[in-house]
Amino acid sequence: MNKAPFIWMDGTFVPWDEAKVHILTHTLHYGNGVFEGTRAYQTKKGLAIFKLREHTQRLLNSAKITMIEPKFDLETLEQAQIELLRKNNFTQNVYLRPLIYLGYGAMGLYHVDAPVNTAIAAWEWGAYLGDEGLEKGIKVKISSFVRNPVKSMMGKAKSVANYLNSQMAKFEAVDCGYEEALLLDDEGFIAEGSGECFFIVRDGVLISPPNDNSLESITQGAVIQLAQDMGIKVERRRVTRDEVYIADEAFFTGTAAEVTPINNVDGRIIGSGSRGEMTKALQEAYFDMVYGRNPKYEHLLTYI
Ligand SMILES: Cc1ncc(COP(=O)(O)O)c(C=O)c1O
């Protein structure tokens, strides 16, 4: 991975190779921690973080859901991310990874006795599902793993523990020769990808499942806003796997995945088998948005 000079840990800039934790760090053992994934893009006016406020607020919401008492407030966390980017002098697009975790000092499942630590890492990172994926689309497998059901887990929290489910689904998909997994909910409706939200296009209508069993995705919200502003009809409703197979277009959205077309699901070619027209239009509009090329959405950027 691309190292950077510094990682922010509890208010201090620590050299990358020294940003370490004790082996008895509570989160390592019991999986209670919350994180964010945020991107900063090299715009014409320099590096800018996309939707910094929303991501930082979601981090604090995730902590609230999982009963972790944050040690830093919204403004401090935002400022820390800005300063980290300034200090690291990045020349490419950047991925930011804030993490609130339970540290060293208490073991056992009663987690509230464990100290709360906060770290923010940032590094240069390109397309999560590959540059070719962004252009040609990717091959997706409906997972044999069901998305963490709301009866036992809390998908609105970007919680470390939720990602065991994602990792197993991702591994299975890649092991079977696919590039990404699409998970159903416990009732058999489409929930989300291992790290993305999901859209289909049918007869000119853009459809995305509700967030009943998925993260409230910031990119999904941005794409829906773009679509509405472009006059595209948007529906939030349940989608079944057979409906996916006969969709005209399909794509994933996520901070890491951006807008990634899907060309094949379970061996069924989707639409024309390449990036669909609406997908392309929304992808272009999304990149214009995050790169500050559309003044209408420039307020969503925080310039460094
Ligand atoms: C499980 C899951 N769903 C959806 C998303 C997309 O969310 P966002 O657009 O806020 O990055 C992500 C990525 O953060 C994710 O990990």
Side-chain angles (χ1 to χ4, degrees), residues 52-166:
L52 174 64
R53 173 61 50 104
E54 274 189 58
H55 280 283
T56 311
Q57 185 59 59
R58 189 172 66 183
L59 179 72
L60 294 176
N61 290 350
S62 297
K64 182 173 185 182
I65 291 171
T66 54
M67 297 298 289
I68 296 175
E69 187 71 48
K71 289 288 178 270
F72 298 94
D73 63 17
L74 186 76
E75 285 74 24
T76 309
L77 290 169
E78 284 184 357
Q79 204 49 40
Q81 291 171 84
I82 293 166
E83 275 162 27
L84 180 69
L85 296 196
R86 284 189 187 140
K87 218 170 152 61
N88 279 330
N89 281 321
F90 292 111
T91 56
Q92 315 268 319
N93 292 344
V94 173
Y95 189 79
L96 281 143
R97 168 51 53 81
L99 170 73
I100 304 179
Y101 61 102
L102 300 176
Y104 163 67
M107 289 305 268
L109 288 176
Y110 191 66
H111 75 283
V112 293
D113 292 336
V116 176
N117 293 116
T118 311
I120 308 168
W123 63 91
E124 291 178 345
W125 213 17
Y128 177 64
L129 293 163
D131 287 323
E132 204 183 310
L134 282 178
E135 206 193 308
K136 301 210 167 108
I138 58 163
K139 203 175 158 192
V140 169
K141 174 180 170 26
I142 296 198
S143 185
S144 73
F145 287 92
V146 161
R147 190 68 184 138
N148 297 315
V150 286
K151 285 177 192 157
S152 49
M153 293 293 265
M154 299 180 286
K156 302 284 172 295
K158 201 165 165 61
S159 158
V160 170
N162 287 341
Y163 285 83
L164 178 61
N165 180 246
S166 290

Side-chain angles (χ1 to χ4, degrees), residues 163-298:
Y163 285 83
L164 178 61
N165 180 246
S166 290
Q167 282 176 64
M168 295 300 103
K170 177 84 183 184
F171 172 80
E172 177 191 66
V174 172
D175 192 51
C176 293
Y178 297 79
E179 285 153 288
E180 187 50 286
L182 179 59
L183 291 90
L184 305 179
D185 65 22
D186 56 338
E187 290 187 72
F189 296 93
I190 304 291
E192 60 179 341
S194 71
E196 308 86 8
C197 278
F198 180 74
F199 286 82
I200 55 170
V201 178
R202 290 195 75 191
D203 300 325
V205 180
L206 184 65
I207 303 158
S208 192
N211 295 117
D212 296 348
N213 284 276
S214 66
L215 192 67
E216 285 176 339
S217 156
I218 290 168
T219 319
Q220 183 187 37
V223 167
I224 287 171
Q225 185 187 351
L226 284 169
Q228 284 167 339
D229 291 354
M230 288 158 75
I232 296 168
K233 188 173 175 217
V234 180
E235 284 179 9
R236 300 296 306 274
R237 63 164 174 81
R238 286 167 148 190
V239 173
T240 54
R241 71 190 293 165
D242 48 0
E243 190 176 15
V244 175
Y245 296 155
I246 55 170
D248 302 322
E249 303 180 28
F251 60 90
F252 277 133
T253 61
T255 298
E258 297 164 314
V259 177
T260 299
I262 296 169
N263 59 35
N264 183 312
V265 178
D266 294 343
R268 280 82 165 175
I269 305 284
I270 303 301
S272 62
S274 60
R275 178 173 55 185
E277 259 173 52
M278 193 188 289
T279 307
K280 184 166 183 279
L282 288 168
Q283 195 187 51
E284 282 169 3
Y286 181 73
F287 283 129
D288 284 346
M289 188 185 226
V290 298
Y291 278 103
R293 295 191 292 248
N294 187 337
K296 188 173 172 191
Y297 306 113
E298 234 191 321

